[in-house]
């Protein structure tokens, strides 16, 4: 499978992280993270379990505060803005957490209406209906609109989760292990969807994954979190063309079994 091409380098930066540190007690998770996300690119973040990938995303959306360093999202310092501005910023940054669940007691339609009605109180019923159908169509699941989450497959629930994030028209998408726990065919579908979202909604995205097939399929660039920082960033080939004993097992596990 071919790696996607990098986006043009003169593109504007939508996320800029410099010298980021974050510890929990004596556990130093992030130790000098530098990372940029360019407009309209998909940046894949790789790293072993427990290396701080989800922590990084939580810092980007202001759910955790950095100990040190500079984190700018759409031009704003997330740890320095007011709570009101942070809430406004979060509407432009769609994030889907690992295992982020749909509400089981609500239909697909109600699940999608929920964030929209809460955040955009001025919308008419017809406008809400239109937006729900628009995002459901974008993820190819318009026919499930009146179904309950329990009636859907794991892959379909994942798609609805992505639709629920898209309904607020975010500029940035943060996908935390979007293909975790899915079978290989469904993984391919989710990868295709991530690429479609990029094309159709012109979003810039960070995709956290363990899955190198996913990394290759969706990433314009790859960054690997090693010992608390991104020592290796670039194209797939640039990151994996190394004898580094921390990197090679990752590759071998995925491709040489
Ligand atoms: N709120 C928290 N309080 C204390 N420790 C945390 C907290 N969030 C994450 N950690 C720890 O930070 C490390 C990195 O977590 P995480 O970012 O979730 O890893 P992953 O790369 O698998 O997403 C883990 O060891 C985790 O236990
Ligand atoms: Mg995680």
């Amino acid at each position: 499978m071919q790696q996607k091409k990098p986006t043009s380098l003169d593109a504007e930066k939508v996320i800029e992280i410099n010298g980021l540190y974050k510890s929990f007690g004596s556990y130093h998770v992030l130790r000098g993270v530098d990372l940029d996300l360019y407009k309209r690119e998909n940046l894949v973040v790789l790293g072993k379990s427990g290396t701080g990938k989800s922590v990084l995303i939580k810092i980007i959306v202001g759910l955790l505060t950095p100990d040190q360093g500079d984190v700018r999202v759409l031009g704003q310092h997330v740890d320095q803005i007011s709570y009101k501005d942070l809430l406004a910023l979060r509407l432009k940054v769609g994030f889907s957490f690992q295992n982020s669940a749909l509400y089981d007691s609500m239909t697909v339609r109600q699940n999608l209406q929920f964030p929209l009605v809460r955040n955009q109180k001025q919308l008419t019923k017809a406008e809400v209906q239109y937006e729900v159908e628009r995002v459901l169509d974008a993820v190819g699941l318009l026919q499930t609109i009146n179904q309950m989450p329990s009636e859907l497959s794991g892959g379909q629930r994942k798609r609805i989760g992505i639709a629920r994030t898209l309904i607020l028209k975010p500029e940035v998408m943060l996908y935390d292990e979007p293909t975790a726990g899915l079978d290989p065919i469904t993984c391919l579908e989710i990868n295709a969807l991530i690429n479609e979202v990029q094309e159709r909604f012109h979003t810039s995205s960070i995709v956290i994954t363990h899955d190198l097939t996913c990394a290759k399929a969706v990433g314009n660039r790859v960054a690997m979190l090693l010992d608390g920082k991104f020592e290796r960033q670039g194209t797939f080939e640039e990151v994996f063309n190394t004898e580094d004993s921390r990197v090679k097992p990752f590759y071998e596990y995925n491709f040489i079994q």
Side-chain angles (χ1 to χ4, degrees):
M1 188 185 296
Q2 279 280 302
Q3 146 109 48
K4 289 173 58 164
K5 289 201 166 50
T7 38
S8 78
L9 280 178
D10 57 4
E12 153 192 347
K13 291 175 186 176
V14 290
I15 296 181
E16 287 183 78
I17 300 175
N18 289 298
L20 170 63
Y21 286 77
K22 180 70 183 175
S23 299
F24 297 103
S26 60
Y27 185 32
H28 306 294
V29 181
L30 302 177
R31 285 170 270 164
V33 163
D34 298 316
L35 192 71
D36 293 324
L37 176 68
Y38 291 92
K39 203 174 175 86
R40 296 191 65 169
E41 80 168 338
N42 283 348
L43 172 66
V44 166
V45 167
L46 294 165
K48 281 202 301 194
S49 237
T51 48
K53 305 182 298 297
S54 296
V55 166
L56 178 66
I57 280 198
K58 285 177 189 162
I59 290 175
I60 290 171
V61 296
L63 288 172
L64 286 172
T65 51
D67 296 337
Q68 197 183 313
D70 202 36
V71 180
R72 253 186 290 180
V73 179
L74 299 170
Q76 301 200 72
H77 292 270
V78 279
D79 59 325
Q80 291 167 24
I81 57 178
S82 67
Y83 189 61
K84 184 166 164 274
D85 288 345
L86 181 63
L87 292 182
L89 184 63
R90 276 191 201 148
L91 295 180
K92 298 182 196 163
V93 181
F95 55 104
S96 64
F97 284 120
Q98 233 164 321
N99 314 315
S100 72
L102 302 172
Y103 296 104
D104 286 333
S105 59
M106 293 184 188
T107 63
V108 166
R109 182 200 301 278
Q110 290 165 334
N111 264 284
L112 293 173
Q113 282 172 349
F114 190 71
L116 195 58
V117 171
R118 191 179 47 185
N119 288 296
Q120 297 180 27
K121 299 191 170 62
Q122 79 289 359
L123 292 181
T124 64
K125 258 190 160 158
E127 285 165 336
V128 170
Q129 164 97 356
Y130 175 83
E131 293 299 331
V132 167
E133 289 179 5
R134 181 182 70 91
V135 290
L136 267 181
D137 184 47
V139 301
L141 288 175
L142 196 49
Q143 76 282 7
T144 68
I145 192 161
N146 292 317
Q147 287 183 267
M148 303 303 286
S150 59
E151 299 173 286
L152 306 176
S153 69
Q156 288 177 321
R157 282 199 292 270
K158 209 65 161 192
R159 283 171 174 263
I160 302 293
I162 291 172
R164 188 174 57 178
T165 308
L166 284 173
I167 203 161
L168 296 174
K169 303 192 173 108
E171 292 175 43
V172 178
M173 286 288 281
L174 307 173
Y175 299 93
D176 197 347
E177 306 209 12
T179 60
L182 300 176
D183 65 81
I185 305 294
T186 308
C187 285
L188 293 180
E189 286 172 20
I190 297 295
N191 294 344
L193 178 59
I194 291 172
N195 283 330
E196 266 169 55
V197 167
Q198 178 187 28
E199 290 288 317
R200 196 160 162 172
F201 298 98
H202 310 311
T203 45
S204 319
S205 306
I206 294 180
V207 185
I208 291 180
T209 185
H210 286 289
D211 174 359
L212 294 198
T213 309
C214 173
K216 230 175 169 176
V218 306
N220 300 109
R221 267 186 327 128
V222 179
M224 190 153 192
L225 193 54
L226 294 165
D227 300 327
K229 49 178 176 289
F230 290 104
E231 282 174 41
R232 301 194 71 83
Q233 288 189 43
T235 63
F236 198 85
E237 285 71 22
E238 282 163 355
V239 168
F240 284 98
N241 187 6
T242 174
E243 292 302 310
D244 190 326
S245 62
R246 298 166 304 169
V247 177
K248 277 180 75 166
F250 222 93
Y251 189 82
E252 285 161 2
Y253 175 75
N254 276 272
F255 287 119
I256 313 165
Q257 281 189 48

